């Protein structure tokens, strides 16, 4: 057992060491939570001065968010009290530099771990994305789960929207992506998915597209990135087709003419399965896609009661429509953009590695000529509680 | 001559082995195997596990052959006084080097993910002091600490990576066997160093309560570690893809940043994960550091084991701050892999072979 | 530098108590002459005005001179009058008693005349004086070198009441009192086993406190019993006023914040511990009984864990474990999360915490320290104040001060919640000493968290683990059964298994007799089945 004298000596020394330590260290990484700015979103645009970037940061004002007791005041137009967010813009060469520029103007530290969305302006995207996406990869502060989208127009416009339903535009934009089970007409994915595509397919990626309005944003459709550059857009129907092709459909609806021919009938997709097969290897690979879509009839024109024959007709029409959408999407990618966002190359690489070795080097030229045959089966599970 | 009369049970040995082997290096392992063999990388983990297991059997055989002695004693018995002494010094240097590297890698991860501005010296220093504090209590508390920390460590790690499953796409593991056999073979050797840690048995062997069951401990520990590494590599591949894995410095850590805790209690688990890796790293340093000081105590015949713990502390620290940046650390880690090949495989193999030929040691004694 | 240290800490052992040792020698024998004996006693006990001497003669002839000595207030006067004086002076007045009986006269008094129940013969001053001081009555008889100690102890004492510190919903309501014999009797009433041994020693040079060591022979590990006795016998101190004195003198590691002996006021807990192979130390003048060896697990147990059904008991036990963890780390975790890793918090929570901290002048660390500190003060104030006020001060302090501080913008409301959870968690720990230990660690963890966030907390936990792993209580691992876990013991662990399945006693004490419960519920059924089969 240690003698009491030595013990007290040790205690004193330890105490002094701790004290000295606390004074010297000044707590390197310690930053009180109210000293941070939780950046909700980042927008990247091309600045008017040539070659540089105009970066806007979506900054929530926590006082205004938590202070809003009684949600009614916020609902009535939103301009009553303090604004819940501000947008700070700066011109810089890189995103990090932009963040540092803001330090000259803002008294708190920018903190990106709660960033929900990155939006990139059309112009920047057309010039190339390499320089823009790198920090999201390299720095641990950026969240791989945040969303990323290309804006038709200026990213600033997205940052500046006044949302009505949500207080924070960033959480509004983020939760828009949660609607995949209601609609298949947009590209669902996050920064992680995007980086995965970019790195796996040599700079090609299918990205979300955003169209700003004053109070809301439309994320229907998609953006086509080829070699890190934006080459064009895809319409909502084309995206739904491509989503079917990629097996990413978890919801959505297909509306067709009803069997009697005097109205419309809506088929709500519950889930969809797909199967891709290689049907021929030479001279160009041929693929066969089988899609099985299951869903309910949620609406049919008044007065129409559905019986067995009708059901078959509807199923046929729905599958025909889905097939058209898929073909629309694939043709667009094959003929117009000539970029393999159907992941056929990946499919070959994974399941037919030997064949892939042959085609790999000239796949880009080959892809537009690849033949894809599509067959779709629609299956009605339920027709609701009216006959 | 045992500096401490404490003995450890077989299950404590298993815990000690597993916790020593399970180090922060695993965070970089997926990148390592992805760079060598792409989507076949997970195969490398299995092959490397088997290779490491085979070489651990040599160590096990030595423990069984000399159940009363540590490597220091039997190497002098087998190859003579002077060469044995030399081998002992190599062993000490190796353990000191390895503990320095493992604490360094830990501090790299810490600095990258959690404490960006905190000086590296602080992280390394506190870690080493904590380890030295435990070390002073001797082998039995070390083994018991391992025993307690093992479930605390392993169960949350499994649980955490399991939450990545819903996002996982297992087709990322394809194409299967697309890598040339030669690459696989070379890669296996290059990967095997991640399994280092079993060689502490060279020193700890005689402290086992029943050294004859050392093989059982090795089967269990090596099997467990291989499965655990395989699990992590597969999950990493499946969740972020092989190509991304190649780019990320610590892919196994990066994927934790994509996980949201079930129920949304935590936005992210990375700080929690790093807290767990703190345990993993702590136990690894314990094993290596202890083996090193023990070897030194046996070699010099020092009675005062605690004194040596303190003596080595500044040296481990100084070695660990040699690399200048993460890339440099990577290079040094590879060097430690080479050192491991020599110390954990070749030297024990030579000793074992010589002892069999000269018929020294063995179960008769 | 070293000079300063040596001056500060050169605690020279002051032997002042040794010089004051007044206890009479046991070797000093009684004299034949009663007057001399009386004089000697008065020499020992001079200036002790509460010592009463009563000289009297007995027998018809009033020849036999006798003397009674006792301390006023410590004896039951009724006993002295009825059982001693009356029997000697009245009842045998007419009996023919002769001096000629010689030696037999003494025995006659002892065996034939005294009606008191507990009579002991002594022949030296040491025991006589101790007897007087302990509340016994001494009977001197002239011409004999012997005296009789008659047990007449009786003083104002508290009755058996419900223990206040360990209340249970289900379980016996009796608690120990300040009287040694009553306490032993409470235990004996529960264990009617000749193997329950009681070894009494006296500790404290002034206090001469009765300290009993209880154990069940054949269950308790003899090594532990020996160790306890050995350590008790090394105690040499002025006085033992409470079992806490003994606890601090015999614990193995006095640097540890964790109690290494368990204390209880409940006889049922003692009985259970005895049957688990523990050694029990009962101290006179205090209701608190010590149990050893102690494990962390046993400190987190309440007797109700065994009285309630096992689902409930297990759940409550799990709750207590969580509470223990939070009692230690909750403010530290809050600081680590908000100041170092706000990325871990859900976005909405992070934003609202940030909003509540707007305008708070102090950093979270200072805030936490201030709040935890003031909570400790409130708790301490509540203990000191008389019953009903003490309870109110907790509520008033908690609510009013907290509310006012939040209103004034000195602390953020979330910090009040954090500190409240921390404090409430510590109250959920059944053992007060352990709870205080955890509260103490709270401060250290706050510092560590302020230094390096979760990594600091983790470091603290690692240090704690290392400390606990190396801590032993009377040779038993403090963390057992967490270390060297065996499944058969696992039934009484974090979860408490169903009662019939707990077939063996817990292994941490290495009890000699492992059988605890034999599950015979099915014996009769099987017999009946056999009989049916026979028919």
């Amino acid at each position: 057992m240690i003698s009491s004298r030595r013990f007290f000596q040790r205690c004193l020394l330890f105490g002094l060491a701790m004290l000295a330590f606390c004074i010297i260290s000044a707590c390197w990484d310690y930053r009180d939570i109210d000293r941070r700015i939780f950046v909700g979103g980042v927008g990247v645009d091309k600045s008017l001065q040539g070659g540089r970037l105009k970066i806007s940061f979506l900054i929530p004002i926590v006082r205004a968010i938590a202070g809003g007791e009684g949600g009614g005041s916020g609902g009535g137009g939103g301009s009553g009290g303090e604004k819940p967010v501000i947008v700070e813009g700066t011109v810089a060469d890189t995103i990090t530099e932009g963040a540092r520029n803001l330090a000259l103007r803002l008294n708190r530290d920018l903190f990106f771990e709660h960033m929900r969305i990155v939006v990139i302006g059309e112009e920047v995207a057309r010039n190339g994305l390499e320089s823009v996406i790198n920090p999201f990869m390299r720095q641990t502060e950026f969240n791989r789960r945040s969303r990323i989208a290309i804006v038709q127009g200026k990213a600033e416009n997205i940052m500046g929207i006044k949302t009505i339903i949500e207080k924070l535009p960033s959480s509004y934009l983020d939760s828009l992506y949660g609607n995949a089970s209601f609609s298949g007409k947009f590209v669902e994915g996050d920064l992680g998915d995007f980086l995965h595509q970019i790195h796996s397919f040599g700079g090609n990626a299918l990205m979300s597209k955003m169209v700003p309005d004053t109070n809301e944003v439309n994320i229907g459709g998609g953006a086509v990135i080829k070699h890190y550059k934006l080459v064009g857009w895809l319409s909502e129907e084309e995206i739904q087709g491509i989503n079917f092709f990629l097996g990413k459909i978890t919801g959505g609806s297909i509306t067709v003419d009803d069997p009697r021919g005097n109205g419309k009938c809506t088929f709500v997709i519950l889930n969809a399965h797909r199967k891709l097969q290689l049907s021929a290897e030479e001279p160009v690979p041929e693929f066969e896609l089988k899609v099985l879509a299951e869903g309910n009839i949620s609406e049919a024109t008044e007065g129409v009661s559905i019986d067995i024959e009708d059901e078959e007709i509807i199923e046929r029409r729905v599958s025909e429509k889905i097939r058209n959408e898929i073909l629309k999407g694939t043709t667009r990618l094959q003929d117009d953009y000539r970029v393999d966002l159907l992941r056929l190359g990946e499919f070959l690489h994974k399941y037919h590695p030997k064949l892939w070795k042959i085609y790999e080097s000239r796949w880009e030229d080959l892809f537009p000529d690849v033949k894809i045959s599509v067959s779709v089966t629609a299956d009605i599970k339920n027709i609701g509680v009216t006959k | 001559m045992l500096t401490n009369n404490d003995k450890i049970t077989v299950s404590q040995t298993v815990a000690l082995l597993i916790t020593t082997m399970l180090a922060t290096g695993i965070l970089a392992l997926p990148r390592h195997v992805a760079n060598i063999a792409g989507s076949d990388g997970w195969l490398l983990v299995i092959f490397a596990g088997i290779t490491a297991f085979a070489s651990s059997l040599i160590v096990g055989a030595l423990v069984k052959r000399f159940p009363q002695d540590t490597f220091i004693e039997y190497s002098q018995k087998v190859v003579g006084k002077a060469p044995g002494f030399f081998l002992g010094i190599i062993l000490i240097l190796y353990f000191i080097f390895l503990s320095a590297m493992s604490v360094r890698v830990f501090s790299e991860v810490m600095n990258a993910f959690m404490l960006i501005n905190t000086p590296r010296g602080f992280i390394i220093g506190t870690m080493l002091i904590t380890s030295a504090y435990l070390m002073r209590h001797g082998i039995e508390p070390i083994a018991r600490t391992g025993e307690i920390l093992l479930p605390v460590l392993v169960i949350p790690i499994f649980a955490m990576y399991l939450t990545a499953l819903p996002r996982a796409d297992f087709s990322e593991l394809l194409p299967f066997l697309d890598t040339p056999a030669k690459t696989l073979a070379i890669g296996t050797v290059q990967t095997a160093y991640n399994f280092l840690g079993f060689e502490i048995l060279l020193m700890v062997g005689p402290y086992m309560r029943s050294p004859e069951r050392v093989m059982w401990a090795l089967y269990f520990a090596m099997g467990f570690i291989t499965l655990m590494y395989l699990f992590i590599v597969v999950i990493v591949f499946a969740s972020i893809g092989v190509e991304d894995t190649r780019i990320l410095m610590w892919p196994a850590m990066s994927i934790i940043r994509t996980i949201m805790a079930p129920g949304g209690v935590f936005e992210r688990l990375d700080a929690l994960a790093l807290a767990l890796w703190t345990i993993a790293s702590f136990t690894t340093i314990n094993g290596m550091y202890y083996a090193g000081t023990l070897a030194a105590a046996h070699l010099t015949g020092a009675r005062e084991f605690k004194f040596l713990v303190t003596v080595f502390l500044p040296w481990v620290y100084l070695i660990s701050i040699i690399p200048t940046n993460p890339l440099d650390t990577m290079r040094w880690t590879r060097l430690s892999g080479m050192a491991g090949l020599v110390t954990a495989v070749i030297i024990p193999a030579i000793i074992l072979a010589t002892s069999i030929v000269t018929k020294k040691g063995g179960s008769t004694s | 530098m070293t000079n300063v240290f040596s001056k500060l800490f050169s605690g020279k052992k002051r032997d002042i108590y040794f010089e004051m040792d007044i206890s009479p020698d046991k070797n000093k024998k009684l004299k034949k002459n009663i007057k001399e004996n009386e004089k000697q006693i008065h020499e020992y006990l001079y200036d002790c005005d509460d010592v009463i001497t009563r000289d009297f003669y007995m027998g018809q002839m009033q020849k036999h001179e006798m003397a009674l000595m006792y301390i006023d207030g410590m004896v039951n006067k009724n006993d002295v009058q009825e059982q001693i004086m009356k029997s000697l002076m009245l009842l045998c007045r007419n009996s023919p008693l002769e001096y000629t009986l010689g030696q037999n006269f003494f025995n006659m008094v002892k065996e034939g005349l005294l009606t008191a129940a507990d009579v002991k013969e002594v022949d030296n001053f040491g025991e006589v004086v101790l007897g007087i001081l302990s509340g016994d009555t001494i009977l001197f008889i002239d011409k004999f070198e012997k005296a009789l100690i008659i047990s007449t102890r009786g003083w104002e004492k508290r009755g058996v009441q419900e223990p206040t510190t360990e209340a249970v919903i289900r379980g016996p309501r009796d608690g120990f009192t300040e009287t040694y014999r009553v306490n032993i009797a409470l235990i004996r009433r529960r264990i009617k086993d000749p193997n329950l041994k009681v070894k009494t020693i006296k500790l404290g040079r002034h206090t001469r406190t009765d300290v009993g060591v209880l154990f069940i022979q054949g269950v308790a590990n003899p090594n532990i019993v020996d160790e306890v006795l050995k350590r008790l016998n090394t105690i040499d101190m002025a006085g033992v006023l409470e079992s806490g004195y003994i606890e601090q003198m015999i614990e193995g590691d006095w640097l540890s914040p964790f109690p290494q002996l368990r204390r209880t006021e409940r006889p049922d807990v003692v009985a259970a511990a005895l049957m688990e192979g523990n050694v029990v130390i009962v101290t006179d003048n205090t209701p608190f009984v010590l149990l050893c060896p102690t494990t962390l697990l046993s400190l987190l147990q309440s007797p109700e864990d065994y009285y309630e059904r096992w689902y409930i008991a297990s759940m409550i036990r799990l709750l207590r474990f969580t509470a223990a963890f939070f009692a230690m780390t909750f403010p530290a975790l809050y600081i680590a999360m908000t100041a170092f890793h706000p990325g871990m918090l859900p976005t909405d929570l992070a934003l609202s915490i940030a909003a509540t901290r707007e305008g708070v002048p102090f950093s979270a660390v200072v805030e936490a320290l201030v709040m935890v500190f003031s909570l400790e003060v409130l708790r301490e104030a509540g203990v000191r104040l008389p019953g009903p006020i003490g309870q109110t001060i907790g509520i008033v302090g908690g609510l009013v001060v907290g509310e006012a501080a939040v209103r004034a913008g000195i602390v953020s409301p979330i910090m009040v919640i954090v500190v409240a959870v921390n404090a409430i968690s510590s109250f959920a720990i059944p053992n007060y000493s352990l709870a205080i230990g955890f509260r103490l660690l709270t401060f250290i963890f706050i510092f560590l968290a302020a230094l390096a966030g979760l990594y600091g907390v983790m470091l603290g936990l690692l240090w704690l683990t290392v400390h606990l792993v190396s801590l032993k209580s009377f040779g038993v691992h403090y963390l057992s059964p967490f270390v060297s876990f065996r499944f058969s013991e696992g039934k009484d662990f974090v979860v408490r298994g169903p009662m019939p399945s707990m077939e063996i006693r817990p292994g941490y004490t290495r009890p000699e007799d492992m059988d605890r419960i034999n599950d015979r519920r099915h014996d009769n059924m099987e017999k009946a089945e056999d009989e049916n089969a026979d028919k």
Side-chain angles (χ1 to χ4, degrees), chain C residues 318-331:
Chain C
L318 281 170
L319 276 180
R320 258 187 240 128
F321 274 89
T322 328
F325 183 73
F326 279 152
M328 207 161 43
T329 56
F330 203 60

PDB file of all heavy atoms in Angstrom, chain C residues 318-331:
ATOM      1  N   LEU C 318     -31.622  -3.994 -14.710  1.00  0.00           N
ATOM      2  CA  LEU C 318     -31.088  -3.359 -15.920  1.00  0.00           C
ATOM      3  C   LEU C 318     -31.216  -1.846 -15.833  1.00  0.00           C
ATOM      4  O   LEU C 318     -30.308  -1.105 -16.201  1.00  0.00           O
ATOM      5  CB  LEU C 318     -31.829  -3.871 -17.155  1.00  0.00           C
ATOM      6  CG  LEU C 318     -31.378  -5.231 -17.651  1.00  0.00           C
ATOM      7  CD1 LEU C 318     -32.328  -5.738 -18.714  1.00  0.00           C
ATOM      8  CD2 LEU C 318     -29.976  -5.123 -18.226  1.00  0.00           C
ATOM      9  N   LEU C 319     -32.377  -1.405 -15.327  1.00  0.00           N
ATOM     10  CA  LEU C 319     -32.591   0.025 -15.171  1.00  0.00           C
ATOM     11  C   LEU C 319     -31.502   0.617 -14.290  1.00  0.00           C
ATOM     12  O   LEU C 319     -30.954   1.680 -14.575  1.00  0.00           O
ATOM     13  CB  LEU C 319     -33.944   0.288 -14.506  1.00  0.00           C
ATOM     14  CG  LEU C 319     -35.153   0.312 -15.409  1.00  0.00           C
ATOM     15  CD1 LEU C 319     -36.397   0.575 -14.608  1.00  0.00           C
ATOM     16  CD2 LEU C 319     -34.974   1.406 -16.447  1.00  0.00           C
ATOM     17  N   ARG C 320     -31.186  -0.111 -13.211  1.00  0.00           N
ATOM     18  CA  ARG C 320     -30.205   0.413 -12.274  1.00  0.00           C
ATOM     19  C   ARG C 320     -28.832   0.519 -12.922  1.00  0.00           C
ATOM     20  O   ARG C 320     -28.092   1.467 -12.683  1.00  0.00           O
ATOM     21  CB  ARG C 320     -30.136  -0.493 -11.053  1.00  0.00           C
ATOM     22  CG  ARG C 320     -30.890   0.095  -9.895  1.00  0.00           C
ATOM     23  CD  ARG C 320     -30.654  -0.749  -8.675  1.00  0.00           C
ATOM     24  NE  ARG C 320     -31.912  -1.265  -8.201  1.00  0.00           N
ATOM     25  CZ  ARG C 320     -32.155  -2.529  -7.949  1.00  0.00           C
ATOM     26  NH1 ARG C 320     -31.211  -3.430  -8.138  1.00  0.00           N
ATOM     27  NH2 ARG C 320     -33.327  -2.886  -7.514  1.00  0.00           N
ATOM     28  N   PHE C 321     -28.506  -0.465 -13.770  1.00  0.00           N
ATOM     29  CA  PHE C 321     -27.218  -0.399 -14.463  1.00  0.00           C
ATOM     30  C   PHE C 321     -27.151   0.846 -15.341  1.00  0.00           C
ATOM     31  O   PHE C 321     -26.166   1.579 -15.345  1.00  0.00           O
ATOM     32  CB  PHE C 321     -27.007  -1.646 -15.332  1.00  0.00           C
ATOM     33  CG  PHE C 321     -26.413  -2.787 -14.583  1.00  0.00           C
ATOM     34  CD1 PHE C 321     -27.199  -3.696 -13.931  1.00  0.00           C
ATOM     35  CD2 PHE C 321     -25.035  -2.943 -14.514  1.00  0.00           C
ATOM     36  CE1 PHE C 321     -26.649  -4.739 -13.221  1.00  0.00           C
ATOM     37  CE2 PHE C 321     -24.482  -3.972 -13.804  1.00  0.00           C
ATOM     38  CZ  PHE C 321     -25.280  -4.880 -13.157  1.00  0.00           C
ATOM     39  N   THR C 322     -28.235   1.059 -16.087  1.00  0.00           N
ATOM     40  CA  THR C 322     -28.274   2.240 -16.931  1.00  0.00           C
ATOM     41  C   THR C 322     -28.155   3.496 -16.087  1.00  0.00           C
ATOM     42  O   THR C 322     -27.415   4.424 -16.421  1.00  0.00           O
ATOM     43  CB  THR C 322     -29.599   2.282 -17.711  1.00  0.00           C
ATOM     44  OG1 THR C 322     -29.996   0.958 -17.967  1.00  0.00           O
ATOM     45  CG2 THR C 322     -29.474   3.045 -18.978  1.00  0.00           C
ATOM     46  N   ALA C 323     -28.887   3.495 -14.982  1.00  0.00           N
ATOM     47  CA  ALA C 323     -28.861   4.671 -14.117  1.00  0.00           C
ATOM     48  C   ALA C 323     -27.443   4.912 -13.602  1.00  0.00           C
ATOM     49  O   ALA C 323     -26.976   6.046 -13.564  1.00  0.00           O
ATOM     50  CB  ALA C 323     -29.822   4.477 -12.953  1.00  0.00           C
ATOM     51  N   ALA C 324     -26.777   3.832 -13.233  1.00  0.00           N
ATOM     52  CA  ALA C 324     -25.414   3.985 -12.719  1.00  0.00           C
ATOM     53  C   ALA C 324     -24.528   4.623 -13.779  1.00  0.00           C
ATOM     54  O   ALA C 324     -23.715   5.503 -13.492  1.00  0.00           O
ATOM     55  CB  ALA C 324     -24.858   2.637 -12.305  1.00  0.00           C
ATOM     56  N   PHE C 325     -24.713   4.182 -15.029  1.00  0.00           N
ATOM     57  CA  PHE C 325     -23.899   4.737 -16.115  1.00  0.00           C
ATOM     58  C   PHE C 325     -24.198   6.224 -16.301  1.00  0.00           C
ATOM     59  O   PHE C 325     -23.288   7.042 -16.401  1.00  0.00           O
ATOM     60  CB  PHE C 325     -24.181   3.960 -17.401  1.00  0.00           C
ATOM     61  CG  PHE C 325     -23.355   4.403 -18.560  1.00  0.00           C
ATOM     62  CD1 PHE C 325     -22.008   4.092 -18.619  1.00  0.00           C
ATOM     63  CD2 PHE C 325     -23.912   5.142 -19.572  1.00  0.00           C
ATOM     64  CE1 PHE C 325     -21.234   4.502 -19.671  1.00  0.00           C
ATOM     65  CE2 PHE C 325     -23.147   5.567 -20.637  1.00  0.00           C
ATOM     66  CZ  PHE C 325     -21.810   5.242 -20.681  1.00  0.00           C
ATOM     67  N   PHE C 326     -25.473   6.562 -16.267  1.00  0.00           N
ATOM     68  CA  PHE C 326     -25.840   7.960 -16.478  1.00  0.00           C
ATOM     69  C   PHE C 326     -25.424   8.826 -15.298  1.00  0.00           C
ATOM     70  O   PHE C 326     -25.073   9.989 -15.463  1.00  0.00           O
ATOM     71  CB  PHE C 326     -27.342   8.089 -16.719  1.00  0.00           C
ATOM     72  CG  PHE C 326     -27.735   7.766 -18.127  1.00  0.00           C
ATOM     73  CD1 PHE C 326     -28.982   7.266 -18.436  1.00  0.00           C
ATOM     74  CD2 PHE C 326     -26.834   7.958 -19.162  1.00  0.00           C
ATOM     75  CE1 PHE C 326     -29.332   6.961 -19.735  1.00  0.00           C
ATOM     76  CE2 PHE C 326     -27.172   7.658 -20.464  1.00  0.00           C
ATOM     77  CZ  PHE C 326     -28.432   7.157 -20.743  1.00  0.00           C
ATOM     78  N   ALA C 327     -25.495   8.248 -14.089  1.00  0.00           N
ATOM     79  CA  ALA C 327     -25.112   9.009 -12.914  1.00  0.00           C
ATOM     80  C   ALA C 327     -23.663   9.453 -13.018  1.00  0.00           C
ATOM     81  O   ALA C 327     -23.241  10.424 -12.423  1.00  0.00           O
ATOM     82  CB  ALA C 327     -25.317   8.170 -11.661  1.00  0.00           C
ATOM     83  N   MET C 328     -22.903   8.710 -13.784  1.00  0.00           N
ATOM     84  CA  MET C 328     -21.489   8.986 -13.917  1.00  0.00           C
ATOM     85  C   MET C 328     -21.212   9.909 -15.101  1.00  0.00           C
ATOM     86  O   MET C 328     -20.420  10.837 -15.009  1.00  0.00           O
ATOM     87  CB  MET C 328     -20.796   7.646 -14.146  1.00  0.00           C
ATOM     88  CG  MET C 328     -19.397   7.572 -13.709  1.00  0.00           C
ATOM     89  SD  MET C 328     -18.920   5.864 -13.535  1.00  0.00           S
ATOM     90  CE  MET C 328     -19.594   5.072 -14.965  1.00  0.00           C
ATOM     91  N   THR C 329     -21.878   9.651 -16.218  1.00  0.00           N
ATOM     92  CA  THR C 329     -21.405  10.247 -17.471  1.00  0.00           C
ATOM     93  C   THR C 329     -22.384  11.206 -18.146  1.00  0.00           C
ATOM     94  O   THR C 329     -22.018  11.792 -19.153  1.00  0.00           O
ATOM     95  CB  THR C 329     -21.100   9.141 -18.490  1.00  0.00           C
ATOM     96  OG1 THR C 329     -22.266   8.368 -18.650  1.00  0.00           O
ATOM     97  CG2 THR C 329     -19.963   8.280 -18.020  1.00  0.00           C
ATOM     98  N   PHE C 330     -23.594  11.346 -17.631  1.00  0.00           N
ATOM     99  CA  PHE C 330     -24.574  12.050 -18.455  1.00  0.00           C
ATOM    100  C   PHE C 330     -24.173  13.483 -18.811  1.00  0.00           C
ATOM    101  O   PHE C 330     -24.180  13.846 -19.992  1.00  0.00           O
ATOM    102  CB  PHE C 330     -25.955  12.004 -17.796  1.00  0.00           C
ATOM    103  CG  PHE C 330     -27.077  12.187 -18.764  1.00  0.00           C
ATOM    104  CD1 PHE C 330     -27.244  11.295 -19.814  1.00  0.00           C
ATOM    105  CD2 PHE C 330     -27.965  13.235 -18.660  1.00  0.00           C
ATOM    106  CE1 PHE C 330     -28.261  11.451 -20.729  1.00  0.00           C
ATOM    107  CE2 PHE C 330     -28.992  13.401 -19.570  1.00  0.00           C
ATOM    108  CZ  PHE C 330     -29.135  12.503 -20.598  1.00  0.00           C
ATOM    109  N   PRO C 331     -23.782  14.323 -17.842  1.00  0.00           N
ATOM    110  CA  PRO C 331     -23.371  15.679 -18.238  1.00  0.00           C
ATOM    111  C   PRO C 331     -22.163  15.649 -19.168  1.00  0.00           C
ATOM    112  O   PRO C 331     -22.089  16.445 -20.110  1.00  0.00           O
ATOM    113  CB  PRO C 331     -23.002  16.353 -16.914  1.00  0.00           C
ATOM    114  CG  PRO C 331     -23.657  15.547 -15.871  1.00  0.00           C
ATOM    115  CD  PRO C 331     -23.713  14.154 -16.389  1.00  0.00           C
TER     116      PRO C 331
END
